[in-house]
């Protein structure tokens, strides 16, 4: 009898120890709304078929302008490369759960490096016409089991100006497909239900190369570098960032706790690692690579963008990691930030220090387990199995191929 | 719809500078040429002209006046940036009624509650930092940094026990304040044992009381002699006295010797946490060479190994202790200071005490300590170097990247033996007026004062002669090393002369 008692005690002790060991004092496990999904392995849970499109849709565009590989919209190119060599790829389209169309729609750059979205709708349309005529899988579901990576400013609305983007709406032929995009805002035309929000591309090697020793004390309270007024397009202010960035400047330019300026220093990454809070306000679009940089460098992101949908929102509990400030509360930003209890700040820092969090925001080449590519696949896997209702009866058509502005219908 | 045309053309124009093919797109959207559109265009042109004349956007004023019902008054301040002559920045509400730049009402189905368009820039009435919040922020920063230190700094930091021999003299405040400030910055627990030659004095006690550290102040019943040799010997005895205190009180921690004229870097205190039993660090030797011989400089060039002013452990390739670097005293042979106030180079001993670190349990009577440690009670105080504390010098652990990092500096600067200073550096009673003599170079010398000031003036004059004399007699000084000669041509500060007391 005594033996059983001691045995039970030993097992209970071991159980308690294992639980205690999980809680590494330095980092904390990230449990999203669906559990610890950041660590899920998508291999074996889904199969993706990659369409073989002629190179004028992808390779030739990249050859014309190799800058596309390093700007913040480069996720579409790296996703294609990742899928080509990933174990989830299948060469048999019959067994595929998802279909991927490799179009580099964001690679038409101005001399200054900004992508022009004016030809993208036509390009996408022409690609879909091609796949619907060469393979039967598009017509089978009218794209409901296809996904597209559209990392542009307002996703598949294909415009950089918000009003124009709202007016255009999501390209009609992509209405049923799953869109993997960086833009996310609740109740917005350009965000479909079921879209997967991803972080913008930030160069992982550059960030890794600029790490400073972890015991360097964090002495900057709030850090931000970027524009407050876009003098080229909105000189009076109030339009750019809905006036939020201008409000930050006007309210806190005299505050020594706020290290904010428009100058871009060479020590930008190093400074972020010495800051406690990093502001991530909206610009012309609500998303920016600052969020990725803040997470990688352990700086708590202060997100000033109403109704924004952050990357992998169903897997990462952003409320616990970042601080959300409404745009109308910007004048009270210092009160808000100083009234956060230190324990909460330390907890957020522990969550940020978790390596799986940092990995999930990056697009490393070659791909590593737990990185953003895998999170995209996890997101796609979570949407499986497809509902029977997406499969159309033969001859049934839901999408209107001639909807949209006249200019979109021209061949590409 | 009409508004949209107006607005589109306006916006398309504005984004021209950034995207070159903007207008191509906006024109493709088409312009409605109905009379209403023309009317709005004419109105727009008119307000543009008026704005040109007045200097601000007239159209916005009109809209502000028109949409008074929907505009809510808010306590926001008008921003004054961008040099507008009139401060009429209207606060556009989130309510979509009545203002120009808005999303189109026919898309209400999936419209965002967040409105696209021109928003006011919210500025609070007093956009300056609130001191209470600044203090809160600093406390947050401190907490974060403490946490960082806990996580990434030294694990389980041990208490540091600092042993400092000192005695009252003019330069004591200077040296002791330096050490005190360094110790106050140390982020670990600290005990400061100050051993004072000549007994405990108020002077020293008041100095170290300002530190706020835990101090143990003991006196040593011998006066500090005037020669460097004697001073080193006495300091050794005083340090052993300090070690005996560690033994008696069974203090637990890491013992370091901080001489009061040394300078310590903060990294030293982080590095010594790595010591196990007996460690050594490299000490930079700043032997103040008042007059370096030219021949010394030449000799330096001939040497194969450059003479580093460093004392400390030397390691071989596999980072094991191989020997000791000591300061080469040969160039200074015969020219070193003998007495504390000599104007010659003061040389360190072969191995200075300040470069050695002990684990306090080595000093205890009982307890497990390695057998190579000698019992300090058996020592007579007549030990030459700290290595005499151990039976086998090879057990010493080299710290600071195996002696490659110099973590503290040794320096000896002292004043004349007869140099006096006001007790606790408080001038009481206050000084009498001091008047410069006629021969000083100050341009606006006040006129000579009546005779009762004479005692002061009289004393000043010898000082002037004093300094000129030293300059000329320097060359003679090297050859003649008589005590009397050196005494007269010292140029040390003569503020003892200006005091009445």
């Amino acid at each position: 009898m005594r033996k059983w008692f001691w045995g039970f005690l030993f097992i209970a002790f071991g159980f308690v120890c294992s639980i205690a060991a999980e809680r590494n004092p330095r980092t904390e496990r990230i449990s999203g709304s669906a559990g610890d999904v950041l660590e899920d392995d998508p291999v074996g849970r889904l199969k993706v078929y990659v369409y073989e499109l002629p190179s004028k849709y992808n390779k030739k565009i990249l050859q014309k302008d190799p800058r596309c590989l390093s700007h913040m919209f480069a996720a579409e190119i790296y996703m294609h490369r990742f899928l080509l060599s990933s174990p989830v790829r299948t060469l048999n389209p019959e067994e595929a759960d998802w279909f991927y169309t490799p179009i580099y729609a964001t690679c038409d750059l101005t001399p200054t490096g900004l992508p022009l979205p004016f030809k993208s709708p036509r390009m996408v349309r022409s690609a879909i016409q091609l796949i619907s005529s060469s393979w039967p899988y598009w017509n089978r579901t009218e794209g409901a089991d296809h996904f597209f990576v559209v990392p542009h400013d307002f996703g598949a609305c294909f415009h950089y100006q918000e009003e124009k983007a709202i007016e255009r709406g999501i390209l009609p032929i992509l209405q049923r497909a799953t869109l993997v995009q960086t833009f996310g805002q609740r109740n917005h035309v350009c965000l479909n239900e079921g879209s997967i929000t991803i972080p913008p591309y930030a160069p992982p090697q550059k960030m890794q190369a600029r790490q400073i020793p972890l015991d360097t004390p964090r002495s900057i309270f709030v850090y931000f570098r970027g524009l407050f007024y876009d003098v080229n397009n909105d000189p009076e202010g109030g339009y750019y960032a809905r006036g939020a960035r201008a409000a930050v400047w006007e309210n806190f330019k005299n505050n020594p706790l706020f290290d904010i300026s428009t100058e871009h220093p060479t020590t930008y990454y190093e400074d972020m690692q010495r800051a406690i809070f990093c502001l991530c306000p909206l610009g012309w679009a609500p998303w920016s690579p600052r969020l990725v940089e803040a997470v990688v460098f352990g700086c708590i992101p202060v997100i000033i963008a109403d109704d924004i949908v952050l990357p992998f929102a169903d897997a990462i509990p952003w409320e616990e990691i970042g601080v959300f400030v409404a745009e109308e509360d910007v004048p009270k930003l210092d009160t808000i930030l100083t009234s956060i209890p230190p324990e909460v700040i330390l907890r957020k820092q522990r969550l940020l220090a978790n390596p799986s969090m940092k990995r999930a925001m990056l697009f490393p080449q070659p791909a590593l387990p737990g990185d953003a590519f895998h999170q995209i696949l996890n997101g796609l896997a979570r949407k499986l199995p497809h509902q029977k209702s997406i499969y159309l009866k033969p001859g049934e058509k839901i999408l209107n191929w001639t909807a949209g502005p006249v200019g979109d219908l021209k061949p590409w | 719809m009409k508004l949209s045309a107006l607005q589109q053309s306006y916006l398309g124009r504005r984004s021209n500078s950034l995207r070159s093919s903007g207008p191509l797109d906006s024109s493709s959207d088409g312009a409605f040429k109905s009379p209403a559109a023309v009317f709005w265009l004419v109105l727009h042109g008119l307000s543009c002209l008026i704005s040109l004349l007045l200097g601000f956007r007239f159209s916005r004023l009109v809209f502000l006046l028109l949409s008074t019902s929907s505009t809510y008054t808010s306590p926001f301040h008008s921003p004054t940036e961008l040099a507008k002559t009139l401060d009429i920045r209207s606060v556009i509400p989130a309510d979509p009624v009545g203002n120009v730049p808005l999303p189109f009402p026919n898309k209400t189905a999936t419209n965002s509650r967040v409105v696209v368009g021109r928003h006011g820039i919210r500025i609070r009435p007093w956009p300056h930092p609130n001191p209470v919040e600044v203090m809160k922020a600093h406390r947050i920063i401190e907490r974060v940094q403490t946490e960082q230190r806990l996580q990434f700094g030294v694990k389980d930091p041990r208490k540091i026990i600092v042993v400092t021999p000192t005695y009252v003299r003019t330069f004591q405040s200077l040296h002791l304040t330096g050490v005190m400030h360094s110790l106050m910055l140390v982020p670990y627990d600290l005990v400061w044992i100050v051993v004072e030659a000549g007994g405990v004095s108020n002077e020293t006690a008041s100095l170290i009381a300002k530190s706020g550290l835990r101090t143990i102040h003991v006196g040593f019943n011998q006066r500090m002699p005037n020669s460097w040799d004697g001073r080193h010997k006495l300091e050794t005895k005083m340090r052993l006295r300090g070690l005996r205190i560690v033994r008696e009180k069974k203090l637990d921690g890491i013992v370091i010797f901080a001489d009061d004229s040394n300078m310590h870097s903060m990294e030293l205190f982080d590095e010594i946490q790595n010591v196990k039993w007996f460690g050594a660090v490299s000490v930079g030797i700043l032997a103040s060479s008042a007059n370096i011989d030219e021949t010394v400089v030449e000799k330096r060039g001939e040497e194969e190994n450059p003479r580093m002013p460093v004392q400390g452990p030397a390691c071989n390739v596999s980072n094991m202790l191989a020997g000791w670097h000591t300061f080469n005293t040969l160039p200074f042979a015969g020219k070193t200071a003998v007495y504390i106030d000599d104007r010659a180079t003061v040389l360190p001993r072969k191995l200075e005490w300040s470069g050695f670190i002990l684990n306090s349990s080595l000093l205890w009577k009982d307890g497990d300590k390695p057998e190579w440690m000698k019992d300090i009670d058996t020592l007579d105080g007549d030990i030459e170097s700290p290595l005499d504390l151990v039976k086998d010098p090879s057990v010493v652990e080299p710290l600071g990247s195996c002696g490659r990092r110099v973590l503290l500096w040794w320096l000896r600067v002292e004043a004349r033996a007869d140099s006096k200073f006001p007790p606790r550096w408080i001038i009481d009673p206050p000084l009498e007026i001091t008047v410069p003599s006629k021969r000083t170079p100050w341009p606006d010398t006040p006129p000579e004062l009546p005779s009762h000031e004479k005692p002061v003036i009289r004393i000043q004059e010898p000082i002037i002669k004093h300094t000129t004399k030293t300059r000329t007699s320097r060359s003679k000084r090297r050859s003649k090393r008589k005590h009397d000669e050196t005494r007269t041509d010292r140029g040390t500060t003569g503020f003892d002369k200006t005091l009445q007391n």
Side-chain angles (χ1 to χ4, degrees):
Chain A
M1 200 50 205
R2 289 225 6 187
K3 270 195 208 150
W4 292 113
F5 173 71
W6 284 115
F8 173 75
L9 208 63
F10 184 75
I11 291 170
F13 180 70
F15 190 66
V16 168
C17 270
S18 63
I19 292 179
E22 293 277 49
R23 186 166 289 285
N24 185 353
R26 238 180 255 198
T27 65
E28 251 183 63
R29 289 181 77 90
I30 295 185
S31 308
S33 52
D36 290 348
V37 291
L38 283 181
E39 326 252 330
D40 282 351
D41 187 11
V43 176
R45 292 170 61 199
L46 79 165
K47 293 238 173 285
V48 176
Y49 178 74
V50 181
Y51 284 122
E52 293 267 336
L53 286 184
S55 58
K56 70 167 180 170
Y57 291 101
N58 32 54
K59 291 207 190 66
K60 284 232 182 83
I61 297 181
L62 184 56
Q63 271 168 4
K64 259 191 274 179
D65 199 343
R67 283 180 300 177
C68 293
L69 280 173
S70 49
H71 67 176
M72 56 181 152
F73 308 98
E76 55 182 6
I77 303 172
Y78 292 117
M79 190 68 191
H80 182 204
R81 294 188 179 178
F82 165 70
L83 283 172
L84 285 176
S85 54
S86 159
V88 302
R89 182 192 185 190
T90 168
L91 297 168
N92 178 7
E94 289 300 326
E95 60 170 14
D97 301 305
W98 287 100
F99 294 84
Y100 172 64
T101 321
I103 319 171
Y104 300 167
T106 339
C107 203
D108 183 15
L109 303 183
T110 64
T112 53
L114 293 160
L116 296 170
F118 307 115
K119 300 206 189 111
S120 311
R122 289 158 56 197
M123 192 160 106
V124 171
R125 210 184 137 111
S126 129
I128 293 178
Q129 271 170 337
L130 181 65
I131 60 176
S132 63
S133 50
S134 317
W135 288 274
Y137 308 103
W138 178 272
N139 294 325
R140 192 171 64 170
T141 56
E142 290 232 294
D145 54 358
H146 289 58
F147 72 92
F148 294 82
V149 181
V150 279
H152 198 251
D153 284 346
F154 289 96
C157 292
F158 290 122
H159 209 280
Y160 50 82
Q161 269 185 20
E162 195 163 357
E163 282 124 330
K164 292 243 178 62
I166 293 175
E167 186 204 344
R168 293 178 61 94
I170 295 183
L171 205 62
I173 38 174
L174 291 179
Q175 282 286 354
R176 282 170 65 87
T178 296
L179 297 169
V180 178
Q181 59 190 51
T182 50
F183 170 74
Q185 194 173 312
R186 283 189 280 273
N187 303 321
H188 200 277
V189 183
C190 299
L191 181 71
N192 249 352
E193 273 297 318
S195 296
I196 298 176
T197 340
I198 61 170
Y201 176 75
Q205 279 89 3
K206 244 209 254 176
M207 294 202 280
Q208 240 81 340
R210 305 278 278 264
Q211 301 235 325
I212 60 175
L214 285 168
D215 59 346
T216 316
R218 285 187 189 264
S219 47
I220 303 175
F221 192 61
V222 177
Y223 187 76
F224 176 74
R225 288 289 184 272
L227 291 176
F228 300 101
Y229 295 95
D230 187 349
V231 281
N232 292 325
N233 300 312
D234 177 35
E236 292 169 9
Y239 210 108
Y240 177 55
R242 295 196 276 268
R245 286 194 184 198
V248 168
W249 174 251
E250 296 301 334
N251 280 300
F252 302 112
K253 60 188 174 192
N254 295 319
N255 197 322
L257 296 172
F258 283 68
D259 186 356
I260 57 180
S261 131
T262 49
E263 287 182 10
H264 192 95
T266 47
T267 54
Y268 177 60
Y269 288 151
E270 287 85 349
D271 289 341
M272 269 193 149
Q273 293 171 73
R274 284 180 39 229
I276 300 182
F277 290 106
C278 288
L279 293 184
C280 303
L282 71 161
W284 287 111
W287 59 271
S288 91
R290 272 186 196 89
L291 184 69
V292 178
E293 288 160 357
V295 167
V296 169
F297 293 130
C299 181
I300 301 176
V302 179
I303 296 146
I304 309 173
D306 286 346
D307 281 349
I308 187 173
V309 176
L310 289 175
F312 307 127
D314 52 345
I316 300 177
W318 286 104
E319 284 287 337
E320 295 178 34
I321 293 172
V323 179
F324 286 82
V325 177
E327 285 164 33
E328 60 183 5
D329 289 334
V330 165
K332 296 183 269 180
L333 189 60
D334 55 349
T335 315
I336 294 172
L337 292 180
T338 52
S339 60
I340 303 179
E343 305 81 45
V344 173
I345 294 180
L346 291 176
R347 176 157 189 266
K348 286 185 201 278
Q349 290 190 322
R350 278 199 298 272
L351 284 167
L352 282 169
N354 194 337
S356 62
M357 180 70 203
K358 297 189 208 275
R359 261 177 304 178
M361 290 282 114
L362 293 173
F363 292 94
Q365 290 89 46
L368 297 168
D371 64 7
F373 299 118
H374 290 89
Q375 303 305 330
I376 298 174
L377 293 178
N378 280 335
L380 289 169
R382 282 195 286 273
K383 295 182 80 177
L384 291 176
H386 293 298
Q387 292 175 331
K388 288 280 176 279
S389 54
I390 62 168
Y391 294 100
L392 304 174
K393 300 188 222 7
E396 188 185 343
K397 283 225 174 297
I398 297 182
L399 291 180
N400 182 356
W401 281 71
T402 52
V406 176
D408 284 358
L409 301 174
K410 292 190 210 144
W412 183 77
Chain B
M1 265 313 189
K2 321 297 186 291
L3 289 174
S4 68
L6 182 78
Q7 175 203 343
Q8 269 173 30
S9 56
Y10 181 64
L11 293 172
R13 231 181 323 121
R14 287 173 93 227
S15 59
N16 254 355
S17 55
L18 198 59
R19 321 277 176 114
S20 47
S21 41
L24 287 171
D25 188 52
S26 49
S27 60
S28 68
D29 286 334
F32 310 95
K33 287 295 176 204
S34 57
V38 173
F39 165 70
W40 280 109
L41 275 168
V42 166
L43 192 66
H44 183 69
L46 213 62
S47 18
C48 277
L49 284 170
I50 299 174
S51 313
L52 262 171
L53 285 171
L54 290 175
F56 66 92
R57 282 187 64 200
F58 179 70
S59 53
R60 280 151 64 67
L61 174 61
V62 171
F63 282 117
L64 172 67
L65 293 172
L66 284 178
S67 62
T68 45
S69 58
S70 55
T71 325
Y72 61 79
T73 54
S74 50
F76 299 124
H77 211 65
S78 323
T80 51
E81 70 329 295
L82 298 177
K84 287 276 176 188
T85 50
L86 270 177
D87 222 341
I88 297 194
R89 186 166 298 277
S90 56
V91 177
I92 309 286
D95 194 333
V97 175
N99 278 310
V100 175
L102 289 173
F104 311 96
N106 52 0
K107 292 250 195 261
T108 45
T110 42
N111 241 358
S112 179
R113 284 174 302 125
V114 181
V115 173
V116 183
R118 184 167 301 285
H119 294 248
I121 300 172
R122 297 178 166 90
I123 303 180
R124 63 190 193 203
W126 182 246
H128 293 285
N130 177 345
V132 172
E133 280 163 19
V134 173
M135 282 320 297
K136 274 202 245 178
H138 280 287
R139 260 174 248 129
I140 291 176
I141 296 175
E142 258 179 57
R143 181 73 189 85
V144 168
Q145 289 186 357
T146 322
E147 185 68 24
Q148 274 185 285
R149 215 178 294 131
L150 281 175
Q151 283 187 8
F152 307 112
V154 179
K155 294 267 177 282
D156 302 323
R158 290 176 277 177
K159 185 156 67 173
I160 301 183
I161 303 163
V162 185
V163 176
T164 302
T166 184
Y167 68 104
V168 178
R169 68 239 193 241
T170 309
F171 274 49
Q172 184 201 29
S173 300
L174 176 79
H175 296 317
L176 213 53
T177 310
V179 175
M180 187 168 81
H181 288 171
S182 304
L183 295 181
M184 281 161 77
L185 284 176
V186 173
Y188 311 114
D189 283 336
L190 202 92
V191 174
W192 194 11
I193 300 178
V194 180
V195 185
E196 189 174 349
V200 173
S201 72
N202 286 338
E203 188 75 31
T204 315
S206 63
L207 256 177
I208 63 179
K210 290 186 219 163
S211 67
L213 302 166
R214 187 181 150 206
T215 52
I216 299 174
H217 188 189
V218 290
F220 199 77
N221 285 330
Q222 275 182 47
R223 287 206 53 196
M224 191 62 84
N226 201 24
S227 65
W228 283 109
D229 211 26
R231 175 169 161 172
H232 281 131
K233 287 201 171 67
L234 189 65
E235 279 181 354
T236 307
K237 288 193 191 139
M238 284 155 66
R239 288 189 191 103
L240 286 176
R241 177 79 180 81
L243 292 182
R244 267 182 213 110
I245 294 177
V246 176
R247 186 199 190 98
E248 283 156 28
K249 295 196 191 253
K250 270 206 119 162
L251 295 174
D252 184 23
I254 302 171
V255 181
I256 73 167
F257 301 100
D259 296 343
D260 62 359
S261 54
N262 286 357
M263 178 56 71
H264 310 87
S265 70
M266 287 296 112
E267 290 83 14
L268 170 72
F269 299 102
D270 293 328
E271 187 64 27
I272 60 177
Q273 297 281 348
N274 298 329
V275 77
K276 276 199 282 298
W277 291 112
F278 200 103
V281 289
S282 292
V283 182
I285 302 296
L286 302 172
S288 60
S289 27
N291 44 328
I292 274 246
D293 202 5
E294 290 88 16
T295 53
V296 175
V297 176
E298 279 168 25
K299 271 195 198 135
R300 270 196 181 197
E302 292 168 10
E303 290 278 332
E304 296 122 18
N305 309 330
R307 228 169 291 148
M308 294 282 189
V310 170
Q311 252 186 25
C315 288
N316 59 13
V317 182
S318 47
N319 279 348
M320 305 284 287
L321 183 68
W324 298 90
H325 282 305
T326 58
F327 186 63
N328 190 347
T329 56
L330 285 178
F332 303 98
K335 301 178 213 97
T336 57
V338 173
Y339 293 96
I340 285 182
D341 35 15
D342 282 350
R343 278 191 87 237
T345 316
V346 184
L347 287 183
R349 301 280 102 171
K350 278 280 173 207
L351 286 172
E352 278 291 326
W353 279 83
S354 40
F356 288 88
I357 296 108
L358 286 83
N359 186 337
S360 65
S361 47
L362 287 174
L363 302 163
W364 297 344
K365 280 195 196 57
D366 45 6
D368 56 334
K369 54 182 187 183
E371 42 86 40
W372 43 256
M373 183 69 187
K374 293 184 196 166
D375 195 339
I376 51 170
D377 277 344
T378 60
L379 297 166
D380 211 2
D382 213 8
I383 48 181
E384 254 305 306
S385 99
L387 287 179
D388 290 338
L389 286 173
V390 294
K391 292 176 196 149
D392 177 17
S394 63
V395 296
V396 178
E397 303 150 34
L399 297 173
S401 309
C402 213
R404 281 194 287 277
R405 282 171 57 195
V406 174
L407 296 170
L408 70 155
W409 296 272
W410 177 97
L411 175 68
R412 291 285 180 265
V413 177
E414 296 295 345
R416 289 170 55 133
D418 59 346
S419 157
K420 289 188 194 38
F421 61 98
R424 287 186 220 186
W425 290 95
I426 296 171
I427 302 172
D428 184 28
L431 287 176
E432 298 283 326
I433 301 169
T434 60
V435 179
S437 76
K438 284 180 245 174
R439 270 180 274 145
T440 53
W442 294 302
D444 45 344
T445 57
E448 270 200 40
L449 289 178
S451 56
H452 72 265
E453 298 296 317
K454 267 218 176 81
V456 180
I457 302 171
R458 185 170 36 89
I459 294 172
Q460 283 283 62
E461 294 194 18
I463 294 177
I464 314 302
K465 278 192 235 153
H466 200 235
T467 48
T468 50
K469 213 179 175 185
T470 48
R471 246 170 274 149
T472 50
S473 63
R474 241 200 215 184
S475 44
K476 286 193 251 161
R477 208 193 51 74
R478 248 186 288 133
S479 43
K480 302 199 186 141
R481 295 280 304 152
K482 277 187 235 156
H483 177 75
D484 307 278
E485 186 114 355
T486 50
R487 213 179 239 278
T488 48
D489 35 302
R490 248 161 273 130
T492 47
T493 48
F495 36 55
D496 50 313
K497 299 280 197 290
T498 57
L499 292 176
Q500 283 292 5
N501 296 4

